[in-house]
Amino acid sequence: MEYLKVIAFTHHHIDLKSLGKLVICDQSLDSRLKNLQAELPVSEIFYIGTCNRVEFVFLTKEKTDKEFVTKFLTVLDMGLPAEFMERFLDNVTVFENEEAFNHLLRTSCSLESLVVGEKEILAQIRKAYENCRDAGFTGDYMRMIMDRVVKTAKEVYTHTNISKNPVSVVSLAYRKLKELNMCGNSRILIIGAGETNQNIAKYLNKHKYSNFSIFNRTFSKAETLAEELNGKAFHLEELQNFTEGFDVIITCTGSTEAIITEELYAKLLNGDTGKKVIVDLAIPNDVAPAVVHNHPIHYIEVESLKEVARKNIQERYNELVHAEDIISANITEFFTVLKQRRIELAMQEVPRKIKEIKNTAINGVFADEISQMDDASREVLERVMNYMEKKYISVPMIMAKEILVNQS
């Protein structure tokens, strides 16, 4: 636990538009994390990027002071102008050791979310971890951390009412959209086929909207979502030449640059001067500021949902207290589990040593005597040796764990 660290940039201290400058696209994530591990003493790491947070969870013996965080961001090579670098350094939150673990548990239980009680954050953290695990950036220690993160979050969602009548950024966005009273055959462009747009599409489909065009970089994902919505699928590049018109754009991609520029928006309008609706749930925003400023648009974005989210926290205060108790209990329990794992690792040579002793006894020290035994006697001896081997392996481990528990 003493080496667990979290560097966090969140909606609590940084406006969401600025936060978008720290988002790392999938294509460059591996190379950036490899650079970090090459330049800094970071043994395990994974990256979390959601609509209201960018965080790095990692292991290092170094003290994560301002000098370390500055070097961390410099090695990431995000191309930040000097003024942004200073702004992020002034508003970063760093967690170390048990505090880092507590923060990770609170985040997975949505206690640190813009909307308390939304379950999407757990899935997002798991996916972020699994992507980095599969790429080789994490190991046994982070596996144990994440096992406990998932266990704790499930307990909070099961044993409290924190997610009762759940309210998420997606559902809040849909509520805003619904208030505009769009007709069922409104022409809806969905840009991006990731989890956020999949979730908002479920609301739209449930409420009988039927005219969808889905654009995505990976065409197969656009096809999958289009099939669910009975819509049309397109490669993202085809957006440049789309001339069928639209009433609503729903966009959420992982792009670090605006997808909908003023030039592209003019092409999509194709001479239409009516007021349009844009739901932009991407961080950073997919829609260029000039588009919002220069055209008649109902613009719904994550930043505009903050006030509703604040009320949500007030309504769920009692559940927060219960959730904190569950988190505290899991932290205490995890310390014992962590110590037990250290014993397992320390004693992992015991089985090999015992097998060596057994083989030496059978094939060396007592080889002549054993060779003179009949088949039935040798079979009994083999069974006795196997039984004793298992006991010699398991008993010291059990005793060591019992001693540890009693000391705790």
Side-chain angles (χ1 to χ4, degrees), residues 146-289:
M146 282 305 301
D147 285 349
R148 182 60 50 162
V149 164
V150 173
K151 175 183 178 294
T152 304
K154 286 182 176 179
E155 287 179 7
V156 167
Y157 292 133
T158 300
H159 300 300
T160 76
N161 289 322
I162 201 166
S163 60
K164 187 176 181 180
N165 300 319
V167 180
S168 66
V169 170
V170 168
S171 64
L172 291 177
Y174 178 72
R175 286 184 191 180
K176 290 275 189 180
L177 194 58
K178 190 177 179 182
E179 289 171 5
L180 299 176
N181 296 317
M182 302 180 308
C183 61
N185 65 347
S186 296
R187 299 163 296 173
I188 301 175
L189 307 188
I190 297 181
I191 304 172
E195 185 177 0
T196 298
N197 277 356
Q198 289 173 28
N199 289 336
I200 201 166
K202 290 175 184 176
Y203 283 98
L204 294 165
N205 199 24
K206 180 180 178 181
H207 291 87
K208 309 304 181 185
Y209 292 98
S210 57
N211 191 345
F212 297 97
S213 299
I214 296 93
F215 298 81
N216 196 61
R217 280 195 177 87
T218 304
F219 183 63
S220 60
K221 290 186 177 180
E223 284 185 307
T224 300
L225 186 55
E227 187 175 340
E228 292 177 13
L229 298 173
N230 195 26
K232 301 175 184 176
F234 300 88
H235 284 286
L236 184 60
E237 292 76 10
E238 295 180 71
L239 194 60
Q240 292 279 350
N241 304 313
F242 187 77
T243 58
E244 297 178 27
F246 70 96
D247 301 298
V248 181
I249 292 176
I250 297 173
T251 183
C252 184
T253 74
S255 174
T256 55
E257 303 291 337
I259 294 285
I260 304 174
T261 61
E262 193 156 21
E263 179 184 1
L264 175 58
Y265 191 71
K267 286 184 180 180
L268 292 172
L269 286 173
N270 199 23
D272 189 342
T273 57
K275 191 169 188 176
K276 304 299 181 183
V277 178
I278 297 180
V279 180
D280 185 356
L281 299 182
I283 298 294
N285 291 143
D286 281 339
V287 180

Side-chain angles (χ1 to χ4, degrees), residues 25-45:
C25 65
D26 292 342
Q27 292 82 356
S28 66
L29 180 59
D30 279 15
S31 62
R32 293 186 192 280
L33 295 187
K34 283 177 182 175
N35 285 344
L36 276 173
Q37 289 191 318
E39 297 291 329
L40 296 172
V42 171
S43 57
E44 299 184 36
I45 185 169

Side-chain angles (χ1 to χ4, degrees), residues 48 121 124 140 158 191 193 211 242 249 288 328 387:
I48 303 168
I121 184 63
Q124 290 168 333
D140 187 64
T158 300
I191 304 172
N211 191 345
F242 187 77
I249 292 176
S328 179
Y387 174 82

